[in-house]
Structures are given as C-alpha cells and as structure tokens.
C-alpha cells in the first residue's frame, strides 16, 4: 500500500532520523523551551520529561508529538527509539509522525457519517474517504500547555486542544487533552480525555513510529500481539464489518514472531502489515503487544484500555519502523457490531495507553 493512499504526504527519508540524546548532568524532571514557529506563525514549545533512571521524553506542542524518547539497551547505553526530525518545518512536512491523531484515527468510509438522523460530510483526504481527522486534524494543530499535577517518581505535561464545531466537518466543540507521564519505572503513559457540546465521534491514538534499535530495519524485531481476531478490510483498507480469526493467517502474532518472517507473503496485495487486532474485552488496562529488538535487547510492552491495536510496519518507509496504534475499530461509525465511538454531551472519553521499556 502506498503512503499517499494511507497517510498524509510523502517526505524524503533524509528528513528523518533516529537521534540520540545525552542525559542532563543536572537532573531536572520537566523543562520547557522554544521550538520555532509554524508556517502560520504559531509558537511551538518543546517539553522535556526525565526520570531518575536516565530516560527522557521530548514532546512538542505541534501535534502533541513525541519528538524523542530515549531508552537504555541491555548494556545501559541510551538511544532514541522513535522516528523523528529536528525542526518544526520538517514536522509540518511529515504530518502525523508520533502525533496525537483525531478526531478519528484511521478511515471513515465515504468521508461522511450519520448521527441521530443528521448526515455530516467530512473532508475527503484519502481518495473518497477521510483518514486521521482530515487535512488538518489534531496532528497538524498546535496544542496548549497546562500544568499537570505530578506524583512522586513521575514527570508529566498536559496538552489541550479545542476542535471547534464544524472543523473538518465534525460536529460539536470537542475539548481534548493528553497527559504525557514518564515514570521512574521507565514507562511513558498517555492519558486521554475528551468532552463535547454536541453529539460527535472520537477515536484517539498516538501515531509513533518505533524502532528499538535506534535505526535500520524493523523486520528483525520480534512481535507478540495477544489477539485471536481482526477486522477484515477491503481493497481500500476499509472494514467490511466481518470479524475473522487470526489463527493460521499471515497476521497471527499470538506466538512471538519475527516481523520479517512472513511480510513478503503479503505482497503484492499489501506492502506490509496494516491490520486492526481485536484485544481482550474489558475496560481495564491490558497488555496489547510486546516488541523485542534482539541486538540491543530493548523491549517495549504496550498496555491500553482501548479495544484494539493497529499494526503498521512503516510500509512507505521501507519497514524502518513499527506503529502500534491503540484505538477503537476503524470506521466504527458505519458498523453497528463494532464498539461505539459516539461521544455525547455530559460524557467524558477517557483512555490510557502505556509504553513500558526494559532490556535484557
């Protein structure tokens, strides 16, 4: 599948890299700095979170993007494990990298939906469909910083965004926040909240491209996803509404499996993995995936309250990174058998995703 048919825009690979980081000599949990201005002149801030173990996370207010996440390997060497770049100008060209995606992650068929008898027409930015919130979704917007209360052993920042009624065609003024928290247990936790003043739809995620080696290909990464079912999709990568078993398919990662073992067998229909995996039922935090990079020894475990996770193997980037996007099912508004993504006045959307890092 080509990048222009799934994501926002094509950018040269040279614009991105896995940048290393040096832990500050003087330990300071939270720092803030300027990170330039957007094409429209909006100021962008850079927030650095640190923990007592030497890990750090950098977040920018443009797209609420994870600019950098530095984690140790088995020898205690620190390196960045998320695809990144070094300027706001380059982030604007690569819309969506490690950003918060909204209002709705993934695709909406026909760039429209009906809710309570009213049809809402959205911006079509993926052929006839809408993807990742439209041409200017949450990933292309500047968020505001709010002080987040911090517990012992944690470093946090809270970012807010108001998506106004009619933005990209979506109804209601939707207030969204994401709180990034780096813990002394080497976890990066994302806590999402959203409210609206009109009935609307919402499905949020972070679209980080992970490479635990700090560079090179991701095909040698070993992946485990505890899922027995997935949502079938058509040639446009739109769900058909069918929920199918994974056992015996090329997409089955119930046993830890090297990503590259079967990826070539997906071609020519698909350039790699781009599938929605259904997780165990229940609203509590559950383990959704484990990614192991054998050479560095780095391990990333993904926990979430969300009902599904999208595996995307950076197909447009030559499989240099892996996306593990916790989410509700794609195009859920058009399938009554999928968990609802409708958000109504008086309700609060709350979801949590945790990326936990270790090495052995």
């Amino acid at each position: 599948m080509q990048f222009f048919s799934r994501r926002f825009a094509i950018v040269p690979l040279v614009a991105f890299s896995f940048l290393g980081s040096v832990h500050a000599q003087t330990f300071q949990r939270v720092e803030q700095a300027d990170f330039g201005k957007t094409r429209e002149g909006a100021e962008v801030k850079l927030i650095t979170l640190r923990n007592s173990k030497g890990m750090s996370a950098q977040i920018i207010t443009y797209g609420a993007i994870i600019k950098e996440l530095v984690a140790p390997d088995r020898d205690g060497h620190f390196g960045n494990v998320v695809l990144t770049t070094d300027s706001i100008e380059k982030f604007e060209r690569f819309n969506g990298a490690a950003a918060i995606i909204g209002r709705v992650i993934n695709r909406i068929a026909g760039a429209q939906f009906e809710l309570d008898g009213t049809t809402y027409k959205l911006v079509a930015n993926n052929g006839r469909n809408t993807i990742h919130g439209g041409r200017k979704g949450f990933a292309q917007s500047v968020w505001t910083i709010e002080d987040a209360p911090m517990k012992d052993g944690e470093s946090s920042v809270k970012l807010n965004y108001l998506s106004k009624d009619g933005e990209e065609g979506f109804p209601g003024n939707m207030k969204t926040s994401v709180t990034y928290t780096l813990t002394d247990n080497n976890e990066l936790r994302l806590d999402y909240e959203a409210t609206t003043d009109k009935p609307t739809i919402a499905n949020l995620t972070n679209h980080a491209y992970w490479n635990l080696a700090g560079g090179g290909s991701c095909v040698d990464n070993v992946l485990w996803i505890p899922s027995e079912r997935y949502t079938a999709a058509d040639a446009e990568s739109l769900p058909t509404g069918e929920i199918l078993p994974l056992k015996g398919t090329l997409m089955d990662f119930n046993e830890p499996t090297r990503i590259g073992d079967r990826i070539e067998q997906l071609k020519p229909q698909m350039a790699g993995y781009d599938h929605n995996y259904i997780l165990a039922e229940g609203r509590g935090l559950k383990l959704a995936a484990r990614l192991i990079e054998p050479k560095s020894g780095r391990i990333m475990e993904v926990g979430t309250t969300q009902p599904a996770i999208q595996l995307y193997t950076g197909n447009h980037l030559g499989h240099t990174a892996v996306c593990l996007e916790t989410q509700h099912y794609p195009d859920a508004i058009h399938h009554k058998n999928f968990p609802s993504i409708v958000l109504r006045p008086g309700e609060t959307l709350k979801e949590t995703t945790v990326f936990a890092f270790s090495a052995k």
Side-chain angles (χ1 to χ4, degrees):
M1 184 178 302
Q2 296 298 314
F3 182 44
F4 57 79
S5 68
R6 183 181 196 276
R7 299 298 191 250
F8 294 100
I10 298 176
V11 294
L13 290 182
V14 295
F16 282 79
S17 61
F18 291 91
L19 304 175
S21 178
V22 178
H23 188 55
Q25 295 294 322
T26 302
F27 177 63
Q28 185 172 342
R29 283 200 173 269
V30 182
E31 287 186 296
Q32 182 176 318
D34 294 331
F35 192 66
K37 294 183 178 181
T38 67
R39 288 188 292 261
E40 297 174 349
E43 292 187 355
V44 177
K45 299 296 183 181
L46 170 71
I47 304 98
T48 302
L49 309 177
R50 297 188 179 90
N51 73 5
S52 63
K53 304 293 180 60
M55 273 192 69
S56 63
Q58 291 188 337
I59 315 296
I60 61 172
T61 53
Y62 178 79
I65 287 171
I66 304 172
K67 178 185 177 293
E68 179 180 295
L69 184 62
V70 174
D73 64 11
R74 66 164 60 92
D75 298 317
H77 299 141
F78 286 82
N80 179 45
V81 295
V82 66
L83 201 63
T84 191
T85 191
D86 56 4
S87 70
I88 184 59
E89 291 83 9
K90 292 176 183 176
F91 275 115
E92 284 185 290
R93 289 164 56 197
F94 188 62
N95 295 326
I100 300 300
I101 306 296
R103 293 185 191 192
V104 176
I105 174 69
N106 225 303
R107 294 172 177 81
I108 299 175
Q112 65 179 27
F113 66 95
E114 184 178 323
L115 182 58
D116 297 341
T118 300
T119 297
Y120 296 96
K121 295 186 180 297
L122 309 176
V123 174
N125 63 325
N126 178 236
R128 67 183 187 92
N129 309 310
T130 299
I131 192 169
H132 296 340
R135 289 195 182 94
K136 186 177 181 182
F138 291 10
Q140 298 82 38
S141 301
V142 178
W143 297 53
T144 59
I145 300 173
E146 178 182 340
D147 289 337
M150 287 189 291
K151 301 177 182 177
D152 289 343
E154 295 185 348
S155 311
S156 298
V157 63
K158 183 176 183 180
L159 302 179
N160 298 317
Y161 179 67
L162 172 61
S163 177
K164 295 183 179 180
D165 185 23
E167 183 175 285
E168 298 297 302
F170 291 97
N173 293 294
M174 182 170 143
K175 297 179 180 179
T176 303
S177 71
V178 58
T179 301
Y180 286 99
T181 300
L182 182 64
T183 76
D184 283 348
N185 293 323
N186 284 358
E187 299 169 335
L188 183 66
R189 186 175 72 244
L190 283 66
D191 292 301
Y192 302 93
E193 289 195 10
T195 59
T196 182
D197 60 3
K198 291 181 182 178
T200 191
I201 56 175
N203 189 4
L204 305 174
T205 198
N206 182 282
H207 206 305
Y209 290 79
W210 303 101
N211 184 310
L212 301 187
S217 174
C218 72
V219 295
D220 289 329
N221 284 203
V222 176
L223 178 63
W224 172 70
I225 300 178
S227 172
E228 297 181 354
R229 300 176 300 157
Y230 73 105
T231 52
D234 63 16
E236 292 183 277
S237 294
L238 291 167
T240 63
E242 294 179 284
I243 294 176
L244 299 179
L246 283 162
K247 188 173 182 179
T249 71
L250 299 174
M251 294 83 72
D252 188 359
F253 284 91
N254 264 290
E255 295 294 330
T257 303
R258 178 179 172 270
I259 288 175
D261 280 357
R262 300 172 303 208
I263 202 167
E264 292 300 318
Q265 298 178 56
L266 295 169
K267 300 175 181 178
Q269 287 82 7
M270 301 187 71
Y273 291 100
D274 192 4
H275 299 82
N276 177 59
Y277 291 75
I278 297 172
L279 301 174
E281 295 182 1
R283 289 294 303 154
L285 196 68
K286 52 191 170 287
L287 188 59
R290 180 184 294 117
L291 189 66
I292 300 173
E293 203 290 302
K295 292 182 180 179
S296 68
R298 289 191 180 98
I299 301 169
M300 183 179 76
E301 292 188 328
V302 184
T304 189
T305 58
Q306 303 245 48
I309 187 168
Q310 184 92 6
L311 167 63
Y312 178 63
T313 49
N315 304 332
H316 66 288
L317 297 174
H319 307 140
T320 56
V322 180
C323 297
L324 293 164
E325 307 158 44
T326 59
Q327 61 179 5
H328 276 60
Y329 303 1
D331 198 29
I333 190 61
H334 288 128
H335 300 280
K336 293 182 179 180
N337 59 321
F338 289 2
S340 175
I341 59 169
V342 174
L343 181 64
R344 298 185 180 279
E347 299 176 344
T348 301
L349 178 154
K350 290 187 178 183
E351 299 288 359
T352 297
T353 293
V354 178
F355 300 100
F357 293 86
S358 59
K360 68 176 183 179

